[in-house]
Amino acid sequence: MHGGTLRIVNFLFVQKRFCSQQVRVRFAPSPTGYLHLGGLRTALYNYLFARANNGSFILRIEDTDQSRTVPGAIEKLHDDLIWVGIISDEDPMRGGPYGPYLQSKRLDIYKENIKTLLENKTAYYCFCSENRMNLLRREAVKNGHVPKYDNKCRYSTDSEVNEKLRNGVPYCIRFKLSSNIEIFDDLIYGRVAHDITQVEGDPIIMKSDGFPTYHFANVVDDHYMEISHVLRGVEWQISTPKHLMLYKAFGWVPPIYGHLPLILNSDGTKLSKRQDGIRVDSFRNSNIFPLALLNYVTQAGGGFIRNSDVQLYTYENLIKQFDIKRINANSSKLAPEKLLELNKLEISRLLSNQNNYKFLVERVKKIVKEAFPNCKDKILKLDEDYIVTTLKWAQDRISKLSDLVKPDFAFIWVIPSSLPDITSSKCIDAIKNLDKKLTETDENSLSTDILKLYLKELAEKNDVSFPSLMKTLRKILSGLEKGPSVVEMIEILGKNETQSRLKRCLP
């Protein structure tokens, strides 16, 4: 109870502090791979927070570690965000008043700010070689200590530093950590305190190649881009005291921090960038709709009022409902079974609006053509009316559009390649009579009840068991032993196509 009260007080305090300042948040990934569910959750919650507070959402690319940059990753990440409907107000592509938004294009800014810290003595040149650093690490491990820099160069005199600079000795720049513990109010976790000096020595803020490290560039960029709130994964929480020390060294006001709890796999293990099936493009390629995926992420992320039923919320509703105070500090597990339920709901939602028909029809056409590349001459018409009718019939039977080309539904698009031999079957007369009945009947009058009644009468009049007749008809119409009912097949195929398939079996 006390912890919950403290968290509310902390939130009200920071809310009051920024009540007159525009909300500006950022999603700042590194282009070292592809967007996955953890990154998507971070981007989404920043986006929702910005939109809910009439603020700005910035996409910034943190590519200071050039050795790990994956070619094409920036463009792919931007494309994935657009696909899910997370549109940035400022980014490397469209630019903005606080650009550049690519850290590798901001090196001059970092160098100027490094000078500030060197001049006020909160940073220093470090000439320690890689060999010495390796020896320190090995010695620490050998003695059971946490490997960390011993701050040797912090105590170099000005003359020692100048001599090494004149002699061209390679160096990096380190920041002087304070022995004082930086306590801060986390929007999600409440009051947090980490003694960063227990786990690391003075950190490098400018590498020997002239590129800044993540921590330094992160602070400088957040300041100059006037970021008001930083919402990021909880794995960065332990680094926040270091960032606050940098803000103090510059004399800047830090943003408000909130750290999002871990998302776990359904078995409780941590998500991994190398894990199959968590990349956004893998969901995209498997015909999951963007809104379904976003709702899926919120199921594990918190921040919303949720009941036990699976419900699909529109973008507008997600923005309206999002409340950072409702994010639970505990890690949450993904529930993969909910994703298909949400995608099914999205198919129904899209079908409820005729404006979406063209989009859905084009998607289905593409899926069908890709599924049956060698059956062009056997594929049925793919006009809009037929596909929309099929979708309406199938919406309670499928979870993804690609389910429409699974074996149970292939008959909708492709004429079965195999036919049952009915020349000696008692069913042949019944099939002839069914063909005749369809010829005499107007298609609009072929209701479900009428078809059911007629098929039963057909079996009785031709002295054929009803199950046997249905099995034969199902095989003729679809090539399946099991599947949708014969009545449903006739309804979805239509009168003409049903007769065409019946005639293929008649002598």
Side-chain angles (χ1 to χ4, degrees):
M1 181 69 180
H2 176 72
T5 304
L6 177 62
R7 185 179 170 198
I8 293 171
V9 171
N10 290 338
F11 183 83
L12 292 175
F13 170 76
V14 294
Q15 188 179 50
K16 181 178 179 181
R17 176 181 151 199
F18 274 85
C19 64
S20 61
Q21 181 177 345
Q22 182 194 14
V23 168
R24 286 178 58 81
V25 296
R26 47 68 168 181
F27 176 51
S30 298
T32 55
Y34 299 102
L35 185 63
H36 59 84
L37 289 182
L40 176 62
R41 192 271 302 267
T42 300
L44 174 62
Y45 280 24
N46 274 280
Y47 175 80
L48 295 177
F49 186 74
R51 294 293 176 262
N53 291 281
N54 297 313
S56 298
F57 171 72
I58 294 94
L59 172 63
R60 185 176 75 219
I61 302 299
E62 302 195 336
D63 62 339
T64 55
D65 191 345
Q66 293 287 291
S67 64
R68 297 178 61 227
T69 297
V70 175
I74 296 174
E75 294 77 13
K76 186 67 175 67
L77 186 145
H78 189 252
D79 185 52
D80 282 341
L81 287 176
I82 290 175
W83 176 73
V84 294
I86 298 177
I87 311 300
S88 50
D89 300 298
E90 304 164 31
D91 58 48
M93 286 68 176
R94 73 174 64 194
Y98 299 89
Y101 296 90
L102 199 64
Q103 285 189 336
S104 57
K105 304 293 184 184
R106 299 173 63 84
L107 298 184
D108 289 342
I109 297 173
Y110 304 135
K111 288 175 182 176
E112 283 300 313
N113 283 277
I114 282 288
K115 289 180 183 178
T116 299
L117 297 187
L118 287 171
E119 289 170 0
N120 68 20
K121 303 297 183 181
T122 56
Y124 59 90
Y125 293 94
C126 176
F127 299 95
C128 291
S129 66
E130 186 61 31
N131 184 52
R132 181 176 188 274
M133 297 305 299
N134 287 333
L135 288 173
L136 284 176
R137 278 190 286 269
R138 284 200 293 269
E139 189 67 20
V141 172
K142 178 182 176 181
N143 295 319
H145 299 152
V146 176
K148 61 179 183 176
Y149 181 53
D150 60 0
N151 301 343
K152 174 179 180 292
C153 289
R154 178 195 274 220
Y155 307 104
S156 298
T157 64
D158 289 345
S159 60
E160 289 173 333
V161 170
N162 290 331
E163 182 181 355
K164 289 181 179 179
L165 290 175
R166 283 195 302 270
N167 292 332
V169 178
Y171 66 86
C172 63
I173 307 294
R174 290 183 182 270
F175 175 68
K176 294 180 181 178
L177 292 179
S178 170
S179 58
N180 296 324
I181 298 176
E182 288 290 341
I183 300 173
F184 67 97
D185 294 313
D186 192 301
L187 285 174
I188 295 163
Y189 287 83
R191 183 144 292 189
V192 176
H194 289 302
D195 186 355
I196 196 72
T197 61
Q198 294 297 310
V199 293
E200 65 175 293
D202 291 341
I204 296 173
I205 55 175
M206 184 71 79
K207 295 175 286 187
S208 58
D209 61 3
F211 275 79
T213 57
Y214 162 80
H215 301 287
F216 179 76
N218 182 280
V219 166
V220 170
D221 288 343
D222 282 349
H223 171 72
Y224 284 109
M225 293 182 183
E226 298 186 9
I227 300 302
S228 64
H229 297 72
V230 172
L231 304 180
R232 58 189 180 187
V234 70
E235 64 270 20
W236 295 110
Q237 190 182 71
I238 196 170
S239 298
T240 304
K242 180 163 45 182
H243 298 169
L244 292 172
M245 290 178 191
L246 280 164
Y247 275 102
K248 276 190 176 180
F250 280 116
W252 297 339
V253 177
I256 295 171
Y257 288 95
H259 292 88
L260 305 173
L262 289 175
I263 295 180
L264 304 175
N265 290 303
S266 57
D267 61 1
T269 57
K270 289 177 64 175
L271 298 183
S272 168
K273 287 184 178 181
R274 295 177 178 82
Q275 181 180 330
D276 291 334
I278 66 165
R279 281 172 37 170
V280 169
D281 62 356
S282 69
F283 294 101
R284 184 177 182 178
N285 294 334
S286 62
N287 290 288
I288 296 297
F289 283 105
L291 190 59
L293 186 59
L294 293 184
N295 274 264
Y296 176 54
V297 169
T298 67
Q299 292 282 332
F304 304 85
I305 299 175
R306 290 285 188 265
N307 54 37
S308 57
D309 297 330
V310 176
Q311 291 180 283
L312 184 81
Y313 296 91
T314 63
Y315 290 93
E316 293 77 13
N317 284 335
L318 287 174
I319 292 169
K320 185 178 180 180
Q321 289 189 16
F322 180 69
D323 185 349
I324 199 168
K325 297 191 296 295
R326 293 189 180 279
I327 297 177
N328 195 312
N330 298 322
S331 300
S332 301
K333 294 181 182 179
L334 291 169
E337 69 280 359
K338 291 184 178 180
L339 178 58
L340 292 180
E341 292 182 56
L342 289 163
N343 207 60
K344 186 174 185 176
L345 291 172
E346 174 64 347
I347 291 173
S348 295
R349 188 189 73 85
L350 290 169
L351 277 171
S352 67
N353 186 339
Q354 291 186 9
N355 293 329
N356 297 320
Y357 285 0
K358 185 175 181 180
F359 159 73
L360 289 169
V361 166
E362 291 305 313
R363 287 286 296 273
V364 171
K365 280 183 181 179
K366 184 174 184 292
I367 290 169
V368 171
K369 289 177 181 178
E370 288 177 352
F372 307 108
N374 301 318
C375 300
K376 292 181 180 179
D377 56 333
K378 295 181 180 179
I379 291 181
L380 297 181
K381 59 184 180 180
L382 294 177
D383 61 88
E384 181 171 321
D385 288 343
Y386 183 74
I387 292 176
V388 170
T389 299
T390 300
L391 282 169
K392 289 180 177 179
W393 169 80
Q395 63 180 306
D396 293 329
R397 299 169 171 84
I398 62 173
S399 298
K400 300 189 292 184
L401 293 184
S402 52
D403 290 345
L404 287 170
V405 294
K406 286 184 174 180
D408 282 357
F409 299 113
F411 74 92
I412 297 172
W413 317 107
V414 180
I415 297 171
S417 56
S418 61
L419 291 172
D421 181 9
I422 62 168
T423 53
S424 60
S425 169
K426 290 183 179 181
C427 293
I428 191 166
D429 289 335
I431 293 170
K432 287 180 179 179
N433 289 331
L434 174 58
D435 180 43
K436 182 180 178 182
K437 179 69 174 179
L438 290 173
T439 300
E440 297 170 349
T441 307
D442 181 82
E443 185 161 16
N444 294 326
S445 64
L446 288 175
S447 67
T448 301
D449 291 338
I450 289 176
L451 281 171
K452 283 181 179 178
L453 181 62
Y454 180 71
L455 289 174
K456 287 183 179 179
E457 291 177 352
L458 195 65
E460 291 176 4
K461 289 180 179 179
N462 290 275
D463 193 26
V464 181
S465 72
F466 184 72
S468 177
L469 178 60
M470 293 304 100
K471 182 178 180 180
T472 301
L473 286 173
R474 182 179 290 108
K475 188 72 174 176
I476 293 171
L477 296 177
S478 68
L480 299 172
E481 295 289 345
K482 298 179 180 179
S485 71
V486 171
V487 169
E488 288 178 303
M489 288 183 179
I490 294 173
E491 287 180 326
I492 194 64
L493 290 173
K495 170 184 167 179
N496 293 337
E497 181 59 28
T498 298
Q499 286 188 273
S500 175
R501 296 191 184 191
L502 292 176
K503 285 181 169 64
R504 292 174 68 223
C505 294
L506 294 174

